[in-house]
Amino acid sequence: MLSLTATQTALVAATSKAAMWSFLITDKNGVIYRFVSEPAAAIAWATGISWDTGITWDAGDHLSSIVLTDFSGIDLRRNLAEGAIIAPSETTFNLSNAGSTLTFSDFKGGSVLIELYLEASGYAQTKVAGWRFAIKTAEPAYQNIRIVCEDFLQKYLRGDYPNTRLPADIFASNRSYENDGVCIPVPFGTAYVPLRDVYVDGAVTVTAATIAAVASAAGANCKFTDSASGLGAIQVGATVTVSGFTTAANNGSFQVLKASAAELEIAYDAGLVDEAEGDDVTITHGAGYLMLGDPARTYTITKIRNPSDLGYKSEYASASYTFTQSTVTDADGDTWRVFQPIIADTDLDGTADAPGSFGVPGGLTYDPPVQFTRDDTASMTNPADVIAFVLEDMGVPSAWIDDAAGGTFATAHTTFDGWGLTFNGAFWYKEPRETVLARLLNMCHATLRVGELVELHVLSKTSQKTITAAEVLRSADQGEGSFTYRDVLAENYSDCGHVAWQESGAAQDRFMKVLVPAKATRAVVSGEILECPFVQDSQDIQRIGTLYYYRKLLKDAEIGLLAPGTCLALQPDDVATINHANYGGSYAVLIDAMKIMKDLSIQFTASHYSAAMDDWGDLSPAALTIPADDTAHAWQPSISGPQTDQDIGRTAYTQWGKEYLTVGPTTNVGQETDLQKALNAVGQAGGGAIYLLNGTYQMTDVLYPPDVNLEIAGQSRGGVELKNKAGSNLLALHNLTKSYNFHDFTVTSQDAATYKALINVYGDTAAENTAQVTLERISLSLSDGGSWGGNGDYGIQNYKSDGRMIVRDVRISGGKIGIYAGEAAAIVLNAIECDAVLLADVYLGEMGDFVVDTLMSRDFWQNCVAVVNTVTASRGVIRGINAIGKAISGAANQYGVQVAYIDKLQFAENTIRIAHAGTGAASGSIGLIMTACNEAELKKNIVDIDVSDTSAATGLSINASNDCIIANNRVKVDNDDTTANHEGIILASNSSRCVVAGNNIDMVNNDAKDLGICLNSGSNNNQGGDNITYNCGTSVNDGGTGNAITAKDV
Amino acid sequence: MAAAEMYDYLSTITADVDQTLAIDAQGSLTEEGSFNQVIHLADDASEERITLSSNPLFYVSWPWNVLTEAEAGTIFDLYFDAAKANGMGNSFKWTAHDGHTYVVRFDCKLSRTGQAVSRWGYPSVRLRVLGRIAD
C-alpha cells in the first residue's frame, strides 16, 4: 500500500480529478529533458534543477500528446521471491523527434522519473506517486523514438553476486577445487563458511649466509642448519627451493619434514652433502592460505573445521589454536588479507605447531569452513541492514535506497527486531544476483518495491482495500464488467517442502533439512528445498518455510479486474478483499501485478489461495531439537580401496586400534616404498606403526629405527621379505630407549663374505641402550661360510643392553649364531626354531636373567644353547629344548647345552640328541656341560648321545657346581670307543652337596670305561638313590669323599 | 459576437508562419470542441471522471463550394507551400467568422473540385484551432 498523506488519499479517492504525468528524462550523457502532460503548477521547476545548463525544454514547458505518445502506462509486478524472480516494473512510450533533432542512441542507458500528479476540487495539484525507470531500449522510427523502460533496480540485478574476485584467480596454481565458484566472502554477523585455500607462490623466503647443509648419518634425516636461527618462517611440510650453495647437490627442491628456527630436516636420502655456512643461501617456499579478503578490514576468526564432506567433524577453536593472519601480495601488486590455521601437530606433542589444510595430495584441495567476522559487518545482523548493504554493494545508488530514518527499511528493521530475526552468514560463492536477493527476501518474509526509491516492506496478510462493484470497471453501459476468476489447475499438489538451515555455531557449507507445511499438513512432499543459510533459529526457519511454501504451493485461482484510479494506493504484494456476490463472495487475494494506465484505470492480476493466509506472528512452531551424531568409530584403514580384500582392511581398527603408515614394495600400493623414510616419518610423528604390505624389500643401506615407540608389522610372515644390503645390518637399533615391536616378516640375508647381525640392538654402553624389544613371528634366513668353524651371520643380537628383549616364535636357519645376547640385562626366548646354525642357536655371554623356553633345534653344530658367563650374575631357565646335533667331525666340542656361572639354573624337560658317525668332536660330545652353576636343578631331561668319538662322550657334565639337584633324567650314551671314559652323569671337579637321584642311565656298550655315575675327586658329600644304571663298566664311580649315591645296575 | 466564443477559451500563441487565411467560409460552418477526459464506468454504475487535459480542443470545418480560380489558388498555395502551411505542418492565422483571428492548422487532406466555368471548390475543409493571436 502506498503511504499517502491525507491530501493524497483524498485525491486518490476523488471520483472526479485531473491527472498529470511528468517525465523527467536523463539521457546517458546527463542531458535532462522534462515533459509534462499538462501545465504543472505543482512542479517546482527550479528545485534541484538548473534552468541554465543541461536542460532541454520543449517549447511550451510541457509535452503535448504529440510530443509524447503511446504511453503504455506503468506495469508493476510483485517480486516472485518464491520463484527467485525480482520481477521488473515496466513502461513504454514514444518520444517525438520531429526533424530528428534528437539522437536516439543517447537515450539508451538513460533514466526516466515518471511522476503522477492529481488535482481535484478542493485540492491543488499534488504528486501522489513516482517511479524511477532505466531506459532499456531506444529505437528510432519515423521521427519517433520508442522508449522501453524497466525499473531502475533491474540493471543492478544482472550478473552474479558477490562482486568479489575468485581467490583462485588472484593466486593461480595447479590446485584443483571441488567448487570453482568460491569467491572472497561477504560476511554478515558471524559467518561460518568455506574460505578458499589458495597457494601463494614464494610466500616465504629466507636468505642468509649462516645456512649450512648437513648430510645424512646413520639413517638420520638430512638438514639445513642456520647458526643465526633465522629459519623460523619455514613451514613443516613445505617443499622448499634452495639455492646459493656451492655444492650443487645442496641446491634444489626438498620437502621439510621438521622445522625449527635453527634447522630444517629433510629426507635422509635427499642427497645433501656436508657444506659449511658462508654462501648466501636462499630458501623459499610457497604456502597455502585461507583468503579473507580486503586488507583494510579487520577480521576476527573464532573457529575452523574440516569440510563437512570430509568425514567426522574436526573443529579447531581460537581458544586452543592460533589463526595467524597476514597480508600477501599478488602478481598485480594488490594485497590481500589471509590466514593460516595452526592446527597441525607435526611432532604429536599435543600442541599444534604448523598450518593445517584439508585436501588430498595430488587431488582436490578443499575449502574449510571458517567462523569469522569482519569489522564493518560484524554487528550487521538485522535483515533490513543486510539487504540495504547488498543492494548498495550491487551498485544501487545509496540515495535511491529508502533506508533513511523513517523510511521503509527503518520500519522493516523495527519489525525484524520485534521478531528477533537475525542474519548470520556470508555470500561465499557466485550466484545470480536475482537469486541472492530473492533468498534474502525469503529469509525475512519481505519484498522490495521499486518506486522512486527501492523500498523494503514486510509482507502482511492485512487487507488493504475491499474491492466491490464500485472498483470493477466495465467497458459498456450494459453487460458484464471486467472481473474474471480463473481456476488454476495446480500441477503441484504438494502441501509441504523442505527448508535447509544450520544451527548456530555450525558450519554453513552443508545444511540440515526440516520439512515444513505450507499451511498445516505435510502429506505430499515437494521436491523443492528452500535455502535459509543466514537463519539459525529453528522456529524462525519453520516460519519462513511455511510462509514461503504457502505462496509457492497453495495458489488455486487467478483473478483479474480493471479498477478505477481510486485503487491507486494498492501495490503488488498487497492483500485485498474481493467482496461482491457477482465475484464469488468475499475472500482475500494477493495482488501479483497491476498496470496503471494513462487514464488511471488499473488492470489488476491477483492470486487466490486454497487456505487462509498467515503472518509471521500467527505461526508458533515448536523449537527443533537436533540430535548430535556421536558416532566415534570407523574402520581404519578404509574398508574400500586396495586393501579391502585383506584381513587388515576389515579388522585393523579393532585389532590394533591405531593407524599404520603403510609401506608397499612398489609405488601406489602404500603410502611409502622407502622403509627408512617411513621410519623417519614415524620418528617425526613421535612414534607409531608401520605396516609392510606383502612383497620383497631390498635395502640399500642399514635401516635405523628412530628413538620412538615403534611397531613394524608385516602383512604376513611369509609374504613380507626384507633383504639387507649385503654386508650390512638389516636393522640397527643403536642406543635407543623406547619400545619396539617387530613382527610378521621374513629376513633373508644377502651376506656372502662379510657377515652381520641382521637385527642388531646395541649400545655403546648398556646404560645407553634401554630399548625394550619384542620380536615375534619372524623368519631369519642367514648366510654362513658353510663349514664347521666358519663365519656367518648373527640373526638377532642384543649387545650391551639394560633393556629387555623378548623373542617369540622365531625361525632361524643358517648363520653362525641364531640369537646372541651379551652384556645384556634380560632376554626371554620362546618358541624358537633353529636349523643348521654353526656355532650356537642361542649364545648368551655375560647375560643377566634369561629364559629359553621351547627351542626346537635341528642340526645344531657346536651348541644348541650356550650361556658363557664368566661371573655369576644371572639366573636362568632352560626348558623345553628339543635339539638334534648335526653330524660334524673333528674340530671342536659339540655340546647340546653349555652353561657357566648361572645362579639357580632351571634346566628341565629338555631333549638333547647328539648322533653322528665318524671321528666326531675332538674334545667330546656332551649333552649338558654346566660349570659354576650352584643350586641348579636338572630334572626330567632326556639326553641321547650316539657317537663314535675317541674323546669322552657324556650325558650330563656338572663342574664346580654345588647344591644342585640332578634328578629323574634319562641319559643314554652310546659311544663304541673304548679308549676314553664315557659317563652318563659326571660330577666333575668340586661339585658337592648335590642330590643325584632317580636318574636312568644306559651306557649301551657295557665297556669297562663306561661309567654310569662318576664322582670325581673334590666332589664330596653328594647324596642320592633310586638311580638305575645299565650297560655300564662301573655303575657308580666315586672318587670323592662323603658321597652316598647309589644306583641299581641292571 | 456570440456570448461565448472559442476566443474566450484559447490561449494566445504565435503562428508558425505569418500567413493569414482570410477567405470566408461558405455554407454551414461547424465548431467542434472537447476536453481530453475519460469516464470510468463501474459495475455499480458509479463513475470516475478523469481529466487528462484542461486545454479545450477545437476544430472548425466547412465546405468551400464555389471559389474563384484565384481564391482556390491562394488556398492551394497556402496548403502546399512548405514555407507556408506546409500541409498540416505549420500553424497560420485564420480570420474567422466571429471576427477574431485564430492560430490554426489544416486538419485534413485538401480535396479540390473544378467546374467548366472556372469555378473551384473544396468540399470539406477542417482546421484545428490551436489558439488565438494577441489582439
Side-chain angles (χ1 to χ4, degrees):
Chain A
M1 189 79 170
L2 284 178
S3 177
L4 301 177
T5 65
T7 296
Q8 291 171 322
T9 301
L11 284 167
V12 169
T15 55
S16 178
K17 51 190 171 254
M20 189 277 282
W21 294 89
S22 166
F23 296 75
L24 186 66
I25 301 174
T26 304
D27 72 12
K28 69 178 184 182
N29 301 316
V31 178
I32 299 173
Y33 305 82
R34 187 156 200 169
F35 306 99
V36 292
S37 62
E38 270 282 287
I43 296 177
W45 293 100
T47 301
I49 301 173
S50 168
W51 281 93
D52 301 322
T53 57
I55 303 174
T56 299
W57 303 95
D58 73 308
D61 284 352
H62 68 277
L63 174 69
S64 73
S65 58
I66 296 173
V67 177
L68 189 132
T69 60
D70 294 335
F71 172 42
S72 65
I74 293 176
D75 274 312
L76 303 174
R77 302 185 182 95
R78 77 178 181 90
N79 298 320
L80 295 173
E82 69 271 24
I85 295 171
I86 307 300
S89 299
E90 294 177 339
T91 190
T92 61
F93 55 84
N94 284 349
L95 197 60
S96 175
N97 189 16
S100 297
T101 56
L102 300 175
T103 303
F104 76 92
S105 58
D106 287 343
F107 291 90
K108 182 176 181 179
S111 65
V112 181
L113 175 62
I114 300 177
E115 298 167 304
L116 174 63
Y117 290 79
L118 297 181
E119 182 180 2
S121 176
Y123 297 96
Q125 193 177 55
T126 302
K127 176 180 169 183
V128 294
W131 300 270
R132 193 183 307 278
F133 288 94
I135 298 175
K136 190 161 66 173
T137 63
E139 301 161 343
Y142 303 102
Q143 299 184 45
N144 268 318
I145 301 173
R146 180 67 174 167
I147 302 289
V148 177
C149 301
E150 62 183 2
D151 67 70
F152 71 91
L153 181 61
Q154 293 301 313
K155 78 173 186 180
Y156 301 105
L157 299 183
R158 299 194 175 96
D160 294 333
Y161 188 80
N163 315 317
T164 51
R165 295 179 61 188
L166 303 182
D169 292 342
I170 299 169
F171 293 104
S173 71
N174 63 353
R175 285 186 171 184
S176 297
Y177 299 98
E178 187 179 29
N179 179 353
D180 286 335
V182 174
C183 59
I184 294 172
V186 178
F188 299 96
T190 301
Y192 199 170
V193 298
L195 298 187
R196 174 108 302 174
D197 191 342
V198 294
Y199 177 78
V200 180
D201 193 28
V204 178
T205 299
V206 173
T207 299
T210 52
I211 299 173
V214 180
S216 171
N221 288 329
C222 297
K223 295 177 182 177
F224 292 110
T225 62
D226 183 2
S227 61
S229 294
L231 301 175
I234 305 295
Q235 295 170 350
V236 170
T239 298
V240 296
T241 300
V242 179
S243 59
F245 278 113
T246 299
T247 304
N250 295 332
N251 298 320
S253 294
F254 309 95
Q255 185 177 28
V256 178
L257 304 178
K258 192 173 182 180
S260 68
E263 66 178 33
L264 309 175
E265 289 190 22
I266 60 175
Y268 82 100
D269 61 350
L272 294 196
V273 176
D274 285 334
E275 183 176 342
E277 65 183 58
D279 293 331
D280 278 332
V281 172
T282 296
I283 302 177
T284 182
H285 69 81
Y289 294 92
L290 297 171
M291 174 64 87
L292 289 165
D294 183 356
R297 302 257 64 96
T298 299
Y299 301 86
T300 302
I301 302 162
T302 47
K303 280 195 290 190
I304 182 173
R305 62 155 293 170
N306 61 312
S308 300
D309 288 347
L310 296 184
Y312 296 102
K313 178 180 180 182
S314 298
E315 192 169 57
Y316 310 87
S318 56
S320 304
Y321 295 89
T322 300
F323 304 133
T324 306
Q325 293 191 35
S326 58
T327 300
V328 293
T329 304
D330 66 18
D332 297 328
D334 296 327
T335 55
W336 304 92
R337 197 65 174 163
V338 296
F339 86 98
Q340 290 181 310
I342 309 302
I343 57 175
D345 182 6
T346 60
D347 54 8
L348 296 181
D349 66 350
T351 302
D353 53 16
S357 62
F358 301 90
V360 178
L364 292 175
T365 299
Y366 292 93
D367 306 304
V370 176
Q371 188 183 61
F372 71 104
T373 62
R374 200 174 74 183
D375 59 345
D376 61 330
T377 57
S379 60
M380 191 180 290
T381 58
N382 188 288
D385 296 341
V386 173
I387 292 170
F389 182 99
V390 170
L391 286 172
E392 196 166 342
D393 204 24
M394 288 177 173
V396 179
S398 58
W400 293 357
I401 300 173
D402 188 30
D403 59 350
T408 55
F409 276 73
T411 302
H413 187 291
T414 302
T415 300
F416 298 141
D417 278 348
W419 293 352
L421 177 65
T422 57
F423 280 0
N424 286 279
F427 296 105
W428 54 276
Y429 58 91
K430 299 281 188 182
E431 282 188 297
R433 290 181 171 198
E434 201 172 23
T435 303
V436 168
L437 209 48
R439 181 177 300 137
L440 285 172
L441 295 171
N442 285 329
M443 287 191 295
C444 61
H445 191 52
T447 188
L448 292 178
R449 288 178 186 152
V450 183
E452 287 186 74
L453 305 177
V454 181
E455 300 174 358
L456 179 66
H457 294 272
V458 174
L459 298 173
S460 168
K461 69 175 184 180
T462 302
S463 176
Q464 303 298 325
K465 190 172 181 65
T466 298
I467 307 293
T468 66
E471 281 77 31
V472 179
L473 301 183
R474 51 178 161 165
S475 57
D477 291 344
Q478 304 296 322
E480 295 177 346
S482 58
F483 178 84
T484 59
Y485 184 106
R486 186 163 54 86
D487 260 332
V488 174
L489 298 177
E491 295 178 359
N492 187 344
Y493 291 97
S494 300
D495 61 358
C496 57
H498 287 96
V499 179
W501 68 296
Q502 195 51 272
E503 294 178 292
S504 178
Q508 296 163 333
D509 59 336
R510 287 289 182 269
F511 295 95
M512 301 182 295
K513 290 190 295 184
V514 58
L515 185 64
V516 299
K519 181 64 181 178
T521 60
R522 292 183 293 185
V524 184
V525 181
S526 166
E528 181 170 347
I529 300 171
L530 171 63
E531 293 184 12
C532 291
F534 282 39
V535 182
Q536 287 80 40
D537 183 272
S538 68
Q539 291 175 289
D540 286 347
I541 61 100
Q542 292 179 83
R543 291 186 181 99
I544 291 166
T546 292
L547 295 169
Y548 169 87
Y549 283 113
Y550 176 91
R551 293 181 178 225
K552 182 83 177 182
L553 303 177
L554 300 189
K555 176 177 177 177
D556 68 354
E558 189 170 284
I559 285 84
L561 61 94
L562 186 66
T566 54
C567 296
L568 265 174
L570 285 173
Q571 292 284 279
D573 258 323
D574 279 345
V575 172
T577 302
I578 304 288
N579 186 16
H580 196 278
N582 284 344
Y583 315 138
S586 179
Y587 49 87
V589 296
L590 178 69
I591 297 173
D592 291 320
M594 55 189 290
K595 182 170 186 175
I596 305 172
M597 310 296 186
K598 180 180 177 181
D599 66 359
L600 302 191
S601 62
I602 306 168
Q603 178 65 52
F604 282 101
T605 303
S607 293
H608 178 260
Y609 294 86
S610 59
M613 192 174 285
D614 288 314
D615 273 342
W616 183 278
D618 298 329
L619 304 175
S620 300
L624 300 175
T625 299
I626 309 300
D629 182 352
D630 60 357
T631 302
H633 299 288
W635 297 105
Q636 292 184 6
S638 168
I639 59 171
S640 61
Q643 297 179 28
T644 304
D645 61 347
Q646 303 298 330
D647 286 344
I648 189 164
R650 294 188 290 272
T651 62
Y653 185 85
T654 53
Q655 279 194 342
W656 298 336
K658 60 183 172 185
E659 295 182 359
Y660 283 76
L661 176 60
T662 305
V663 177
T666 56
T667 56
N668 298 324
V669 295
Q671 294 160 277
E672 287 282 2
T673 56
D674 187 322
L675 188 48
Q676 184 64 56
K677 281 189 177 177
L679 290 168
N680 290 353
V682 172
Q684 185 173 333
I690 291 170
Y691 180 65
L692 297 173
L693 295 171
N694 282 346
T696 300
Y697 301 80
Q698 175 62 61
M699 304 307 152
T700 58
D701 204 344
V702 180
L703 291 171
Y704 293 94
D707 193 16
V708 295
N709 294 328
L710 171 67
E711 178 183 359
I712 298 177
Q715 185 177 357
S716 69
R717 181 177 188 160
V720 176
E721 182 181 27
L722 304 180
K723 294 181 177 179
N724 64 315
K725 177 186 177 183
S728 297
N729 304 125
L730 173 73
L731 281 158
L733 288 73
H734 179 216
N735 286 351
L736 302 182
T737 62
K738 300 298 192 301
S739 295
Y740 300 84
N741 181 4
F742 302 158
H743 58 89
D744 292 291
F745 54 82
T746 293
V747 177
T748 303
S749 174
Q750 304 301 297
D751 297 337
T754 301
Y755 301 98
K756 289 289 183 179
L758 274 297
I759 299 175
N760 188 12
V761 183
Y762 66 105
D764 294 333
T765 64
E768 292 176 276
N769 178 21
T770 59
Q772 310 291 322
V773 179
T774 301
L775 305 170
E776 296 180 281
R777 299 185 298 280
I778 295 172
S779 296
L780 294 155
S781 178
L782 307 179
S783 293
D784 57 49
S787 63
W788 169 257
N791 290 319
D793 292 326
Y794 287 24
I796 297 167
Q797 174 167 282
N798 188 24
Y799 179 61
K800 290 188 177 178
S801 170
D802 279 349
R804 183 196 68 217
M805 175 177 277
I806 297 174
V807 182
R808 182 182 299 122
D809 188 7
V810 168
R811 300 172 196 158
I812 303 170
S813 63
K816 185 173 184 176
I817 295 178
I819 299 170
Y820 170 80
E823 302 180 39
I827 191 167
V828 176
L829 307 177
N830 176 252
I832 309 299
E833 180 181 357
C834 294
D835 187 8
V837 180
L838 289 180
L839 179 61
D841 295 339
V842 176
Y843 191 103
L844 310 177
E846 306 306 338
M847 188 66 220
D849 295 340
F850 67 91
V851 173
V852 179
D853 184 1
T854 312
L855 187 157
M856 185 170 76
S857 174
R858 287 187 295 272
D859 292 342
F860 72 83
W861 288 58
Q862 188 167 17
N863 299 116
C864 174
V865 174
V867 184
V868 287
N869 292 354
T870 58
V871 294
T872 303
S874 67
R875 291 189 295 183
V877 174
I878 299 174
R879 181 188 305 276
I881 290 177
N882 184 350
I884 302 173
K886 183 179 178 67
I888 59 173
S889 67
N893 303 320
Q894 186 174 31
Y895 304 150
V897 175
Q898 176 183 201
V899 293
Y901 293 96
I902 301 166
D903 190 24
K904 298 181 178 63
L905 171 68
Q906 294 284 331
F907 185 83
E909 297 178 355
N910 300 292
T911 299
I912 299 171
R913 285 173 286 179
I914 301 175
H916 57 78
T919 56
S923 299
S925 300
I926 301 175
L928 165 69
I929 180 167
M930 180 175 80
T931 303
C933 296
N934 295 325
E935 300 181 73
E937 288 188 358
L938 283 57
K939 292 183 178 178
K940 297 183 180 178
N941 299 290
I942 298 172
V943 178
D944 183 350
I945 298 175
D946 181 7
V947 298
S948 297
D949 289 343
T950 55
S951 55
T954 304
L956 301 173
S957 176
I958 294 92
N959 303 275
S961 301
N962 300 318
D963 306 312
C964 299
I965 298 173
I966 303 104
N968 302 112
N969 300 290
R970 161 64 177 168
V971 177
K972 179 181 178 183
V973 176
D974 178 6
N975 189 345
D976 54 10
D977 168 70
T978 59
T979 63
N981 286 328
H982 309 296
E983 302 91 7
I985 297 173
I986 179 171
L987 276 64
S989 59
N990 303 317
S991 297
S992 301
R993 300 183 301 280
C994 297
V995 174
V996 180
N999 300 292
N1000 181 321
I1001 302 166
D1002 178 4
M1003 298 304 290
V1004 181
N1005 294 309
N1006 239 344
D1007 183 72
K1009 291 187 175 181
D1010 288 345
L1011 309 177
I1013 298 172
C1014 179
L1015 305 171
N1016 279 3
S1017 172
S1019 295
N1020 305 321
N1021 302 316
N1022 297 292
Q1023 303 292 317
D1026 296 331
N1027 298 294
I1028 298 173
T1029 61
Y1030 52 106
N1031 296 326
C1032 299
T1034 302
S1035 173
V1036 176
N1037 180 37
D1038 187 356
T1041 61
N1043 296 309
I1045 295 175
T1046 60
K1048 182 176 179 60
D1049 190 29
V1050 295
Chain B
M1 297 289 178
E5 300 166 332
M6 291 190 295
Y7 179 89
D8 301 326
Y9 305 97
L10 289 170
S11 301
T12 301
I13 61 171
T14 303
D16 293 337
V17 294
D18 188 17
Q19 296 290 323
T20 301
L21 175 61
I23 301 171
D24 290 340
Q26 299 175 358
S28 175
L29 183 144
T30 301
E31 287 183 1
E32 177 186 349
S34 68
F35 281 100
N36 186 5
Q37 292 173 318
V38 177
I39 305 301
H40 294 146
L41 178 62
D43 274 356
D44 65 351
S46 64
E47 63 178 31
E48 180 187 46
R49 300 174 289 278
I50 304 297
T51 299
L52 293 171
S53 174
S54 58
N55 295 319
L57 195 60
F58 288 113
Y59 296 89
V60 292
S61 59
W62 66 88
W64 264 317
N65 292 321
V66 180
L67 294 171
T68 65
E69 190 169 353
E71 288 173 330
T74 298
I75 294 168
F76 200 88
D77 180 62
L78 176 65
Y79 191 97
F80 288 103
D81 187 338
K84 296 178 181 174
N86 190 28
M88 294 187 288
N90 291 332
S91 60
F92 53 91
K93 289 177 284 190
W94 169 55
T95 302
H97 51 283
D98 57 6
H100 298 295
T101 299
Y102 295 94
V103 177
V104 301
R105 65 165 173 82
F106 284 111
D107 191 51
C108 61
K109 296 177 182 177
L110 193 63
S111 301
R112 184 163 69 166
T113 58
Q115 297 178 12
V117 291
S118 299
R119 290 291 184 266
W120 292 87
Y122 295 94
S124 176
V125 175
R126 177 179 164 95
L127 300 177
R128 161 78 196 276
V129 185
L130 299 169
R132 61 183 178 85
I133 64 170
D135 54 2

Short mmCIF file of all heavy atoms in Angstrom, two decimals, chain A residues 594-612:
data_model
loop_
_atom_site.label_atom_id
_atom_site.label_comp_id
_atom_site.label_asym_id
_atom_site.label_seq_id
_atom_site.Cartn_x
_atom_site.Cartn_y
_atom_site.Cartn_z
N MET A 594 -0.10 -5.08 -11.35
CA MET A 594 -1.06 -4.03 -11.67
C MET A 594 -0.46 -3.13 -12.74
O MET A 594 0.74 -2.87 -12.75
CB MET A 594 -1.42 -3.22 -10.41
CG MET A 594 -0.23 -2.63 -9.69
SD MET A 594 -0.67 -1.90 -8.07
CE MET A 594 -1.60 -0.46 -8.56
N LYS A 595 -1.34 -2.74 -13.66
CA LYS A 595 -0.88 -1.87 -14.72
C LYS A 595 -1.69 -0.58 -14.64
O LYS A 595 -2.91 -0.59 -14.84
CB LYS A 595 -1.06 -2.53 -16.08
CG LYS A 595 -0.56 -1.67 -17.23
CD LYS A 595 -0.53 -2.45 -18.52
CE LYS A 595 0.12 -1.61 -19.63
NZ LYS A 595 0.27 -2.38 -20.87
N ILE A 596 -0.99 0.52 -14.33
CA ILE A 596 -1.66 1.81 -14.19
C ILE A 596 -1.65 2.48 -15.56
O ILE A 596 -0.60 2.81 -16.11
CB ILE A 596 -0.93 2.69 -13.16
CG1 ILE A 596 -0.81 1.96 -11.83
CG2 ILE A 596 -1.65 4.03 -12.99
CD1 ILE A 596 0.05 2.66 -10.81
N MET A 597 -2.87 2.62 -16.12
CA MET A 597 -2.97 3.22 -17.45
C MET A 597 -2.83 4.73 -17.35
O MET A 597 -2.94 5.33 -16.28
CB MET A 597 -4.32 2.87 -18.09
CG MET A 597 -4.67 1.40 -18.04
SD MET A 597 -3.53 0.38 -18.99
CE MET A 597 -4.35 -1.19 -18.84
N LYS A 598 -2.63 5.31 -18.51
CA LYS A 598 -2.53 6.77 -18.57
C LYS A 598 -3.79 7.44 -18.03
O LYS A 598 -3.73 8.50 -17.39
CB LYS A 598 -2.29 7.18 -20.03
CG LYS A 598 -2.16 8.66 -20.25
CD LYS A 598 -1.93 8.93 -21.73
CE LYS A 598 -1.88 10.44 -22.01
NZ LYS A 598 -1.69 10.69 -23.45
N ASP A 599 -4.95 6.82 -18.23
CA ASP A 599 -6.21 7.41 -17.76
C ASP A 599 -6.53 6.99 -16.33
O ASP A 599 -7.65 7.15 -15.87
CB ASP A 599 -7.35 7.04 -18.70
CG ASP A 599 -7.65 5.54 -18.67
OD1 ASP A 599 -6.95 4.80 -17.93
OD2 ASP A 599 -8.56 5.10 -19.40
N LEU A 600 -5.55 6.41 -15.66
CA LEU A 600 -5.65 6.00 -14.25
C LEU A 600 -6.47 4.74 -14.03
O LEU A 600 -6.66 4.33 -12.88
CB LEU A 600 -6.18 7.11 -13.35
CG LEU A 600 -5.38 8.42 -13.34
CD1 LEU A 600 -5.86 9.31 -12.20
CD2 LEU A 600 -3.89 8.18 -13.22
N SER A 601 -7.01 4.16 -15.08
CA SER A 601 -7.61 2.85 -14.86
C SER A 601 -6.46 1.87 -14.57
O SER A 601 -5.33 2.06 -15.01
CB SER A 601 -8.41 2.40 -16.08
OG SER A 601 -7.57 2.29 -17.20
N ILE A 602 -6.78 0.85 -13.78
CA ILE A 602 -5.73 -0.06 -13.32
C ILE A 602 -6.16 -1.50 -13.60
O ILE A 602 -7.22 -1.94 -13.13
CB ILE A 602 -5.46 0.10 -11.82
CG1 ILE A 602 -5.17 1.57 -11.48
CG2 ILE A 602 -4.30 -0.79 -11.38
CD1 ILE A 602 -5.17 1.87 -9.99
N GLN A 603 -5.33 -2.21 -14.34
CA GLN A 603 -5.61 -3.62 -14.57
C GLN A 603 -4.89 -4.43 -13.49
O GLN A 603 -3.67 -4.43 -13.40
CB GLN A 603 -5.10 -4.05 -15.95
CG GLN A 603 -5.31 -5.52 -16.27
CD GLN A 603 -6.79 -5.89 -16.35
OE1 GLN A 603 -7.55 -5.25 -17.07
NE2 GLN A 603 -7.20 -6.90 -15.60
N PHE A 604 -5.67 -5.09 -12.65
CA PHE A 604 -5.09 -5.89 -11.57
C PHE A 604 -5.08 -7.37 -11.95
O PHE A 604 -6.02 -7.88 -12.56
CB PHE A 604 -5.90 -5.75 -10.29
CG PHE A 604 -5.65 -4.47 -9.54
CD1 PHE A 604 -6.55 -3.41 -9.63
CD2 PHE A 604 -4.52 -4.32 -8.75
CE1 PHE A 604 -6.31 -2.23 -8.95
CE2 PHE A 604 -4.28 -3.14 -8.06
CZ PHE A 604 -5.17 -2.09 -8.16
N THR A 605 -4.02 -8.05 -11.54
CA THR A 605 -3.97 -9.51 -11.54
C THR A 605 -3.64 -9.94 -10.13
O THR A 605 -2.72 -9.40 -9.51
CB THR A 605 -2.87 -10.03 -12.49
OG1 THR A 605 -3.13 -9.51 -13.80
CG2 THR A 605 -2.85 -11.54 -12.54
N ALA A 606 -4.42 -10.87 -9.61
CA ALA A 606 -4.24 -11.28 -8.22
C ALA A 606 -4.38 -12.79 -8.10
O ALA A 606 -4.88 -13.46 -9.00
CB ALA A 606 -5.27 -10.57 -7.34
N SER A 607 -3.90 -13.31 -6.96
CA SER A 607 -3.95 -14.75 -6.71
C SER A 607 -4.85 -15.05 -5.53
O SER A 607 -4.88 -14.31 -4.55
CB SER A 607 -2.56 -15.30 -6.41
OG SER A 607 -1.74 -15.20 -7.54
N HIS A 608 -5.54 -16.15 -5.67
CA HIS A 608 -6.35 -16.66 -4.56
C HIS A 608 -5.73 -17.97 -4.10
O HIS A 608 -5.21 -18.74 -4.90
CB HIS A 608 -7.80 -16.89 -5.01
CG HIS A 608 -8.67 -17.46 -3.91
ND1 HIS A 608 -8.99 -18.80 -3.82
CD2 HIS A 608 -9.26 -16.84 -2.86
CE1 HIS A 608 -9.75 -18.98 -2.76
NE2 HIS A 608 -9.92 -17.81 -2.17
N TYR A 609 -5.73 -18.19 -2.80
CA TYR A 609 -5.08 -19.37 -2.23
C TYR A 609 -6.11 -20.28 -1.58
O TYR A 609 -7.19 -19.82 -1.16
CB TYR A 609 -4.02 -18.95 -1.21
CG TYR A 609 -2.87 -18.21 -1.89
CD1 TYR A 609 -2.94 -16.84 -2.12
CD2 TYR A 609 -1.76 -18.89 -2.34
CE1 TYR A 609 -1.92 -16.16 -2.77
CE2 TYR A 609 -0.72 -18.24 -3.00
CZ TYR A 609 -0.81 -16.88 -3.21
OH TYR A 609 0.20 -16.23 -3.86
N SER A 610 -5.75 -21.53 -1.48
CA SER A 610 -6.71 -22.53 -1.01
C SER A 610 -6.88 -22.51 0.50
O SER A 610 -7.74 -23.21 1.02
CB SER A 610 -6.26 -23.93 -1.46
OG SER A 610 -4.98 -24.22 -0.96
N ALA A 611 -6.05 -21.78 1.18
CA ALA A 611 -6.18 -21.70 2.64
C ALA A 611 -5.97 -20.25 3.06
O ALA A 611 -5.45 -19.44 2.29
CB ALA A 611 -5.14 -22.60 3.32
N ALA A 612 -6.40 -19.99 4.28
CA ALA A 612 -6.25 -18.63 4.79
C ALA A 612 -4.78 -18.29 4.97
O ALA A 612 -3.97 -19.13 5.37
CB ALA A 612 -6.98 -18.49 6.13
#
